[in-house]
């Protein structure tokens, strides 16, 4: 009788974190890249034999022991400029992506950023347009709340109810969740898992690292080829392997 051989987790997946793609002249939180900068960053990936895909596609490939040439591309908050600034660039490079949206703020703006500037968010129709283009849509919570400070009712609203709202909007339940502000604790991770999400994205989850707390790398307007290379290498050195991924 053969004995199953346990394999050690493979290198941590590289998942890039973007937000807005448009004019970056007023950008106090450094959340914006121009379409031209995104174009150059995706070209850098291509020169290295890498291709950007949704997190769901990346994780499915890694679970099969494949996909070492794939990196995840995520866009947080669901800014309206995703359709005009990011999507055409993604198309040209043959890339897909995951868009994390806020179903409780459809057609609103980033009111959670006190310094502004106010940026419009996608409407329901805009989210459906992105999904029709092959973009994976995930939840960023209902209204962009720090889950580590949420009471029990708010935590349920931000995880369970936001998933149900997106399922109603798109006709399919989202697989992915993204922690607002990148903040999380064990209670938040458990709530996200219990809500039925297959995976969740963080930034630097520390010891909570796993399929429901995936580390990501912020990519901004100042990230040229040299900076991207450093971030790519340091990410694999600093982050732990993810259990369940080969």
């Amino acid at each position: 009788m053969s004995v199953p051989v346990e394999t050690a987790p493979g290198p941590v997946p590289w998942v890039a974190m973007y937000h807005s793609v448009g004019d970056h002249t007023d950008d106090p939180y450094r959340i914006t890249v121009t379409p031209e900068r995104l174009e150059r960053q995706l070209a850098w990936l291509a020169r290295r034999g890498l291709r950007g895909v949704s997190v769901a596609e990346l994780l499915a490939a890694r679970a099969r022991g494949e996909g070492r040439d794939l990196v995840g591309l995520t866009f947080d908050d669901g800014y309206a400029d995703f359709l005009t600034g990011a999507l055409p660039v993604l198309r040209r490079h043959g890339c897909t992506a995951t868009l994390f949206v806020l179903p409780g703020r459809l057609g609103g703006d980033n009111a959670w950023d006190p310094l502004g500037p106010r940026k419009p968010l996608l409407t329901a129709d805009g989210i459906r347009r992105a999904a029709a283009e092959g973009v994976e849509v995930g939840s960023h919570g209902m209204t962009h709340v720090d889950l580590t400070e949420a009471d029990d009712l708010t935590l349920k609203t931000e995880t369970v109810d936001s998933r149900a709202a997106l399922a109603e909007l798109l006709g399919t339940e989202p697989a992915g969740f993204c922690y607002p502000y990148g903040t999380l604790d064990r209670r938040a991770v458990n709530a996200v898992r219990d809500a039925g999400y297959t995976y969740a994205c963080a930034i630097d989850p520390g010891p909570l690292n796993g399929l429901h707390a995936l580390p990501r790398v912020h990519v901004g307007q100042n990230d040229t080829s040299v900076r991207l290379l450093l971030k790519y290498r340091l990410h694999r050195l600093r982050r732990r392997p993810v259990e369940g991924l080969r």
Side-chain angles (χ1 to χ4, degrees), residues 65-79:
E66 304 169 357
R68 298 300 175 89
D69 59 340
L70 302 178
V71 301
L73 299 179
T74 62
F75 293 80
D76 291 9
D77 303 334
Y79 290 105

Side-chain angles (χ1 to χ4, degrees), residues 4-218:
V5 177
E6 293 187 4
T7 58
V12 62
W14 204 68
V15 181
M17 177 180 67
Y18 289 92
H19 290 78
S20 173
V21 181
D23 181 9
H24 77 293
T25 52
D26 185 8
D27 190 30
Y29 296 101
R30 297 185 297 171
I31 62 168
T32 308
V33 299
T34 62
E36 295 76 17
R37 177 61 73 188
L38 178 62
E39 186 98 46
R40 290 193 287 271
Q41 290 166 345
L42 296 186
W44 177 85
L45 290 178
R47 289 195 300 272
R48 297 186 62 82
L50 302 171
R51 182 171 65 90
V53 297
S54 70
V55 178
E57 183 177 344
L58 170 64
L59 294 181
R62 289 293 298 271
R64 298 190 303 268
E66 304 169 357
R68 298 300 175 89
D69 59 340
L70 302 178
V71 301
L73 299 179
T74 62
F75 293 80
D76 291 9
D77 303 334
Y79 290 105
D81 60 24
F82 178 83
L83 294 177
T84 56
L87 193 54
V89 181
L90 293 169
R91 280 200 213 103
R92 283 195 292 274
H93 287 268
C95 295
T96 60
T98 299
L99 177 67
F100 290 114
V101 302
L102 300 155
R105 293 187 183 272
L106 299 178
D109 61 31
N110 56 327
W112 60 87
D113 286 335
L115 299 181
R118 298 279 75 86
K119 287 177 172 281
L121 304 178
L122 288 164
T123 63
D125 284 344
I127 292 172
R128 282 191 286 261
R129 283 177 56 194
E133 292 282 349
V135 174
E136 181 195 12
V137 177
S139 173
H140 201 25
M142 188 67 83
T143 57
H144 206 284
V145 169
D146 183 342
L147 298 189
T148 66
E149 298 180 358
D151 59 30
D152 290 345
L153 178 59
T154 301
L155 187 60
K156 177 181 177 295
T157 298
E158 296 294 320
T159 56
V160 176
D161 293 356
S162 69
R163 189 166 191 252
L166 287 180
E168 182 177 355
L169 177 65
L170 298 172
T172 182
E173 292 184 331
F177 185 87
C178 178
Y179 298 95
Y181 306 105
T183 55
L184 71 165
D185 54 17
R186 176 58 65 187
R187 174 171 167 265
V189 172
N190 289 341
V192 168
R193 182 188 293 109
D194 292 345
Y197 296 96
T198 305
Y199 73 86
C201 287
I203 300 175
D204 183 4
L208 295 174
N209 178 69
L211 281 175
H212 287 87
L214 291 168
R216 293 185 296 168
V217 178
H218 171 263

